[in-house]
Amino acid sequence: TSNEMWGGRFASGPAAIMEAINASIGFDRKLYAQDIRGSLAHSEMLAEQGIISAADQKLVAHGLNTILREIEDGSFVFSTAREDIHMNIEARLAELVGPAAGRLHTARSRNDQVAVDFRLWVKEELQGTAEALKRLLAAFLVRAEEHAATVMPGFTHLQTAQPVTFGHHCMAYVEMFGRDLSRVRDAIERLDESPLGAAALAGTGFPIDRKKTATALGFREPTRNSIDSVSDRDFALEFLSVAAICASHLSRLAEEIVIWSTPQFGFVRLSDSFSTGSSIMPQKKNPDAAELIRAKTGRVNGHLVGLLTVMKGLPLAYSKDMQEDKEAVFDAAEALDLMLAAMTGMVTDMAVNKDAMRKAAGAGYSTATDLADWLVRVLGIPFREAHHVTGRAVALAEERRVGLEKLGLEDLQAIHPGITGDVFSVLSVRNSVKSRSSFGGTAPSEVRRQIRYWKKRIARA
Ligand code: ARG
């Protein structure tokens, strides 16, 4: 039999394989609530504009609310033959309220309908992402405050570089996730326009009021160009871009947690609730959640590249290719929600081993730069020469297998006669960290200033 929506033009129905490749109901049923909201707003506007009767609008609204209940209580029968969520709902509406259902689609098309539904969905997802990011930021601020003065090694090339504080390291992530939060806000700002009423692509001759439906659906304003309205998926691409950047931050942190929680580093111990054991090795405590966060970044990045590739060759306006936008966004959203929640739990729960951090901070000649700086500051020698003198001190310490602070004053004076006993104070990791009080530096006083700044900023975000 031919299609109930466009059967007028068709003598026979689709091949089974056509139905299978064409249908999106398997995934776009997620949009049911947005679709019903869009239809309610559209029907109310049609009635207010005198395009459909108030009686028909009442029937339509009643039917749509019945459908909403049916879907939520699980009694709604989804049909692949009815292709997508829009046609499943409209066909059911016809069963429930008869010919009035057929008037709902006046002055709209599935092209603007799907654009509205999907924008509403992505907007809500972004709002949820913002809340999840705020929870992660709050978790980091607690740890940063607790460890504003906890010394750990800072790394470059994953080689010990200079001592920093764990609080400072935490605040680096606060900067990263804080940027993610502002990207989420920007994305919502740009997305916040209603395409409803663009119809298929050219607008409509019916006297619709697009501002009315935009406001009813919580959008700031209607989109300005009907062609762009139905061919634009920037909001989905922006969601995926924001998600991919955020995921890459989560993944870097996950990688650090994997490293920090090894017995070799021992900087942190994951709580039992965020680690797993081994079925064979009784001693193991594995950072599976961190590993999965690192891994899920792959699929989020993949979805971004996937949708960019779908969109890149499409002529304006709508093409069916665009139906492929949804699974990418749904799957990336599900992954990101999980990643943010799991990371927030791990950051909150993990036990920080201050002793291991401090010990590691002193290893690897981490205060060599402090020695060179002292030579410049106190003896007034050029930094390049100080670098050379310090390099010789490190080589000597390495030869003796001791730390710089364990070299005798005579040893140091043999390298440079101007050195005095005063130098030893700058060789301690605590003093090293305390001295780095430049704006944004790792001194505990600076870290506390950063924390104060972010507490205020998050309260406003
Ligand atoms: N299921 C379609 C999608 O997801 C809805 C729009 C269909 N429009 C059309 N002209 N075939 O994109």
Side-chain angles (χ1 to χ4, degrees):
T1 63
S2 88
N3 187 283
E4 48 195 326
M5 296 297 165
W6 52 74
R9 168 79 172 78
F10 285 63
S12 68
I17 194 71
M18 175 60 202
E19 194 173 295
I21 195 173
N22 202 35
S24 54
I25 190 62
F27 49 87
D28 68 13
R29 64 174 70 184
K30 247 194 162 77
L31 299 175
Y32 74 91
Q34 290 77 10
D35 196 68
I36 290 171
R37 248 198 286 156
S39 290
L40 284 170
H42 185 64
S43 71
E44 276 158 27
M45 180 276 293
L46 290 178
E48 282 168 38
Q49 298 297 107
I51 300 167
I52 64 171
S53 72
D56 280 344
Q57 196 278 324
K58 264 187 90 168
L59 277 173
V60 164
H62 179 75
L64 288 170
N65 284 315
T66 303
I67 291 170
L68 182 62
R69 273 199 305 281
E70 288 179 350
I71 294 177
E72 291 188 337
D73 72 21
S75 64
F76 189 93
V77 183
F78 290 98
S79 145
T80 311
R82 288 172 177 174
E83 198 179 316
D84 59 21
I85 188 63
H86 325 293
M87 297 209 289
N88 267 266
I89 289 176
E90 194 185 323
R92 177 65 183 144
L93 188 63
E95 289 169 7
L96 288 171
V97 307
R103 300 192 189 278
L104 170 62
H105 213 54
T106 312
R108 90 174 176 189
S109 146
R110 272 190 299 155
N111 297 348
D112 55 339
Q113 194 178 352
V114 72
V116 171
D117 295 3
F118 201 26
R119 275 186 192 246
L120 285 172
W121 195 93
V122 172
K123 185 177 169 184
E124 279 163 43
E125 175 61 28
L126 283 166
Q127 284 162 342
T129 308
E131 291 313 307
L133 277 167
K134 284 171 78 171
R135 286 191 287 274
L136 178 56
L137 289 167
F140 261 121
L141 286 175
V142 169
R143 301 318 302 258
E145 207 152 40
E146 192 184 338
H147 293 287
T150 300
V151 179
M152 72 179 278
F155 300 93
T156 61
H157 314 264
L158 197 56
Q159 306 283 327
T160 302
Q162 293 174 352
V164 295
T165 69
F166 184 57
H168 195 51
H169 200 99
C170 287
M171 292 310 290
Y173 280 103
V174 167
E175 293 290 334
M176 294 151 80
F177 294 118
R179 284 193 295 273
D180 291 332
L181 179 57
S182 90
R183 267 185 284 274
V184 166
R185 300 285 188 219
D186 287 349
I188 293 174
E189 191 67 19
R190 264 186 299 279
L191 165 154
D192 210 9
E193 299 173 351
S194 170
L196 192 56
L201 79 163
T204 175
F206 290 100
I208 59 170
D209 185 340
R210 294 192 54 212
K211 285 197 175 140
K212 207 172 260 175
T213 47
T215 305
L217 292 169
F219 288 110
R220 190 182 55 235
E221 58 191 332
T223 51
R224 284 163 301 281
N225 180 295
S226 64
I227 295 177
D228 178 55
S229 303
V230 291
S231 51
D232 166 46
R233 289 294 180 274
D234 286 3
F235 61 93
L237 290 171
E238 276 201 59
F239 169 73
L240 291 171
S241 312
V242 166
I245 295 173
C246 179
S248 79
H249 294 155
L250 288 164
S251 184
R252 292 178 79 172
L253 174 56
E255 169 69 1
E256 296 205 306
I257 290 174
V258 168
I259 294 172
W260 292 343
S261 62
T262 56
Q264 287 75 12
F265 268 73
F267 287 4
V268 302
R269 211 160 48 83
L270 295 177
S271 70
D272 288 352
S273 35
F274 281 98
S275 41
T276 56
S278 157
S279 55
I280 172 167
M281 297 165 283
Q283 86 283 11
K284 295 273 275 189
K285 203 163 173 195
N286 294 327
D288 293 35
E291 294 168 276
L292 287 164
I293 287 168
R294 197 172 55 185
K296 282 180 191 296
T297 303
R299 65 201 284 163
V300 176
N301 291 354
H303 288 313
L304 170 60
V305 175
L307 188 57
L308 282 168
T309 311
V310 167
M311 295 305 296
K312 80 170 186 58
L314 298 186
L316 308 187
Y318 180 85
S319 294
K320 194 62 171 262
D321 309 53
M322 289 158 71
Q323 179 164 283
E324 292 283 314
D325 56 1
K326 284 165 216 70
E327 285 164 293
V329 168
F330 292 155
D331 187 69
E334 190 181 324
L336 188 66
D337 290 350
L338 268 172
M339 291 159 80
L340 284 168
M343 187 56 90
T344 304
M346 270 192 291
V347 168
T348 301
D349 279 16
M350 65 190 182
V352 174
N353 187 340
K354 290 190 189 189
D355 289 340
M357 283 186 175
R358 175 181 299 266
K359 230 167 135 190
Y365 312 104
S366 66
T367 54
T369 314
D370 298 82
L371 173 54
D373 286 350
W374 185 90
L375 294 168
V376 170
R377 209 174 51 245
V378 179
L379 303 187
I381 67 179
F383 183 78
R384 277 292 153 230
E385 193 189 329
H387 187 289
H388 188 79
V389 169
T390 306
R392 287 180 56 203
V394 169
L396 181 66
E398 207 164 34
E399 200 184 294
R400 305 234 179 113
R401 296 174 195 284
V402 296
L404 279 175
E405 72 288 352
K406 294 279 153 55
L407 289 176
L409 183 58
E410 323 74 64
D411 295 325
L412 291 172
Q413 284 172 339
I415 296 170
H416 194 288
I419 296 180
T420 64
D422 184 44
V423 77
F424 290 102
S425 73
V426 303
L427 297 180
S428 92
V429 291
R430 241 187 88 81
N431 288 341
S432 165
V433 155
K434 232 174 100 183
S435 73
R436 293 202 162 46
S437 57
S438 55
F439 184 82
T442 198
S445 57
E446 266 304 299
V447 173
R448 292 196 182 95
R449 194 194 48 72
Q450 294 175 45
I451 295 170
R452 283 195 299 278
Y453 167 86
W454 273 103
K455 274 188 172 169
K456 264 196 239 147
R457 184 159 155 186
I458 289 168
R460 287 188 269 108

